[in-house]
């Protein structure tokens, strides 16, 4: 078999001139960790012209498929970062899901997607491909002269917090050196050494579980469907999931429970025996990768600690049901980078970064809630909850109305930052789904897509308004985007509803800051000040 | 907000009670538990209104 992408060093160690300086060089932003979330942070910062150094103790993309399901919002974020098309092209989708209970199929369903979006609800794609595309995008930005510096095999060994900077001690194959940063983004994963070095732990562990995850190559022709088993004969009392990935690769997740023998469970003969029972005696398959994955469902109390900002698994972890791990990490970055850019540029006070904590802690709680509900259904904790769970599954076969209670994971959707200190005025005649705090929803335009036009800076979306923004509005760096309801029925329905005109103030992460039905410059300026933490409402 | 009906609402209460007992006839404890769970789910879907369901849950949680 050809060498897999995850076996090749993509960012090998190279000695950097910083290592020869007698006093530590200070950088505006250092990202710790070049996993998918750290790479997204580096691309976003570099693309916006904020110099960034990324330190990673490794030099390769992740081993095995790991995170495999990426949501529409993730693709929209990567679209803004200039690398979604390759992901969407390579990724696969399933359109039929099947649910099994014990030894039988209880029902199948078709995935019906809302139309009028550039990207699908999700794609399945091995994490190593996603990371490879991110590294490619990062390299392309470097070629354009964007200030991104990715340093492989640079392991952060110690961190010191100071009033106006952070100090780092870094180990490399050439020995140690020190760096300073105005800000740190810690994206160093669930076991985050940064978190540990700063002496912080998680609050309230909700639960924990183990999964045996396997990548299996099967001949073409095996259906491209999502199969979920409750209490199957080949994994009694637990669950199992089969998912299609690109390259005739299928991902299989066996839930194992908490008290297991890790060595024993990973033995190839044991794994192959499980797979035979699951796929049938006649299905030919080849085991490519197997691993045991332990998750816990918990978050840090705060994601900002002075000048260190935590993102992704370093800050919060959930069960895999619903694909709310990596997807929420990209939303963290989407939320954080524009704020950091304004603070570094002196255009917003440091307190703007507290809204990162507020908004993303809220999102993490929503993910933990959904993930906990899924886990409660999949793994009932008491006899009574098992009786009800089994009753739902028994009934579902012949009684359609209980099917919505079957919870095999609720797919990651972006959080709406209700109650955020950055939110400005709302208009109750406009559609509720686009209230302040909500991410802009995509819609077809007469040419291209709405989200292709949005993001990276504050924008004022004006729909069929008579007045147009004055110059001083652009002076604040707010770009007017004037569109008409005639662009498409979806656009009119999503942004106007019953109203005849609308004005949306959009943040650089495409979330709605405030909205009105008429354009009034003073109101927009006040909302802009609020959205950049410069003024209380 | 819709209110849970807290006055007698089944025309022939005796007949309903008998039907409920008959449905459980010959069931083991385990089978009866499963039947009751299915019944709750079927009735809950029929009611649909979350407020009514929460009022019913609250009433059911009260002990004598």
């Amino acid at each position: 078999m050809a060498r897999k992408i995850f076996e090749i060093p993509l960012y090998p160690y190279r000695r950097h001139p910083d290592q020869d300086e007698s006093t530590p060089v200070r950088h505006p932003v250092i990202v710790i960790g070049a996993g998918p979330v750290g790479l997204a942070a580096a691309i976003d910062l570099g693309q916006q012209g904020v110099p960034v150094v990324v330190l990673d103790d490794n030099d390769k993309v992740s081993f095995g498929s790991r995170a495999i399901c990426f949501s529409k919002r993730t693709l929209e974020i990567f679209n803004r970062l200039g690398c979604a098309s390759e992901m969407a092209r390579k990724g696969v989708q399933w359109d039929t899901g099947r649910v099994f209970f014990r030894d039988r199929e209880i029902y199948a369903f078709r995935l019906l997607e809302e139309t009028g979006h550039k990207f699908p609800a999700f794609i399945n794609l091995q994490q190593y491909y996603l990371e490879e595309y991110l590294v490619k995008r990062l390299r392309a930005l470097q070629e354009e002269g964007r200030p991104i510096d990715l340093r492989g095999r640079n392991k952060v060994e110690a961190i010191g917090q100071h009033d106006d900077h952070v100090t780092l001690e870094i180990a490399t194959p050439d020995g140690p050196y020190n760096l300073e940063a105005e800000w740190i983004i810690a994206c160093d994963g669930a076991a985050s050494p940064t978190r540990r070095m700063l002496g912080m732990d998680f609050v309230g562990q909700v639960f924990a579980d183990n999964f045996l995850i396997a990548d299996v190559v099967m001949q073409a022709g095996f259906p491209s469907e999502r199969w979920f088993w409750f209490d199957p004969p080949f994994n009694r009392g637990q669950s199992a999931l089969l998912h299609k990935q690109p390259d005739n690769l299928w991902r299989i997740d066996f839930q194992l429970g908490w008290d297991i023998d890790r060595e024993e469970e990973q033995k190839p003969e044991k794994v192959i025996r499980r797979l035979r029972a699951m796929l049938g005696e006649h299905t030919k398959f080849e085991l490519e990768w197997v691993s045991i994955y332990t998750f816990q469902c918990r978050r840090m109390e705060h994601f900002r600690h002075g000048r260190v900002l935590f993102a992704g698994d370093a800050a919060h972890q959930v069960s895999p049901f619903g694909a709310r791990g990596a997807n929420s990490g990209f939303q963290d970055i989407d939320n954080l980078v524009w704020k950091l850019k304004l603070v570094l540029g002196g255009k917003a006070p440091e307190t703007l970064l507290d809204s990162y904590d507020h908004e993303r802690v809220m999102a993490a709680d929503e993910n933990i809630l959904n993930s906990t509900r899924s886990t409660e259904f999949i793994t009932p904790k008491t006899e009574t909850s098992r009786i009800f769970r089994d009753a739902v599954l028994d009934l579902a076969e012949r009684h359609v109305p209980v099917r919505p209670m079957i919870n095999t994971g609720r797919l990651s959707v972006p959080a709406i930052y209700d109650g955020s200190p950055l939110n400005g005025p709302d208009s109750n005649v406009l559609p509720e789904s686009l209230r302040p705090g909500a991410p802009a929803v995509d819609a077809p335009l007469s040419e291209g897509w709405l989200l292709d036009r949005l993001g990276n800076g504050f924008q004022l979306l004006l729909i069929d308004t008579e007045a147009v923004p004055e110059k001083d509005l652009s002076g604040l760096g707010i770009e007017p985007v004037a569109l008409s309801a005639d662009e498409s029925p979806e656009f009119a329905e999503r942004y106007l509803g019953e109203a005849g005109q609308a004005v949306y103030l959009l943040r650089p992460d495409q979330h709605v800051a405030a909205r009105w039905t008429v354009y009034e410059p003073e109101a927009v300026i006040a909302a802009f000040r609020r959205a950049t933490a410069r003024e209380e409402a | 907000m819709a209110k849970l009906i807290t006055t007698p609402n089944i025309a022939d209460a005796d007949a309903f009670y008998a039907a409920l007992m008959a449905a459980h006839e010959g069931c083991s404890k385990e089978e009866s538990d499963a039947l009751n769970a299915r019944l709750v789910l079927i009735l809950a879907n029929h009611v649909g209104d979350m407020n009514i369901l929460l009022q019913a849950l609250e009433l059911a949680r009260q002990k004598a």
Side-chain angles (χ1 to χ4, degrees), chain A residues 387-388 391-392 395 398 401 405, chain B residues 33-34 37-38 40-42 45:
Chain A
I387 288 168
F388 274 103
V392 169
L395 261 180
R398 59 183 192 277
M405 286 183 214
Chain B
D33 285 348
R38 291 195 295 271
V40 167
L41 295 168
I42 291 165
N45 180 69

Side-chain angles (χ1 to χ4, degrees), chain A residues 68-72 75 84-96 111 113 120-126 129 133 222-226 242-251 411:
Chain A
I68 60 154
C69 187
F70 299 100
S71 70
K72 184 201 305 277
L75 292 169
S85 52
E86 209 171 5
M87 295 169 188
R89 220 171 18 244
K90 180 75 182 176
V92 295
Q93 281 183 270
W94 50 270
D95 61 3
T96 299
L111 199 71
E113 276 203 67
F122 65 89
I123 55 162
N124 285 354
L125 182 70
Q126 295 90 314
Y129 279 128
Y133 301 152
F222 197 87
S224 188
E225 300 177 342
R226 178 192 194 261
L242 177 77
H243 244 192
K244 175 80 170 78
Q245 305 180 90
D247 307 338
N248 285 327
L249 200 62
W250 269 260
R251 163 69 171 271
L411 188 67

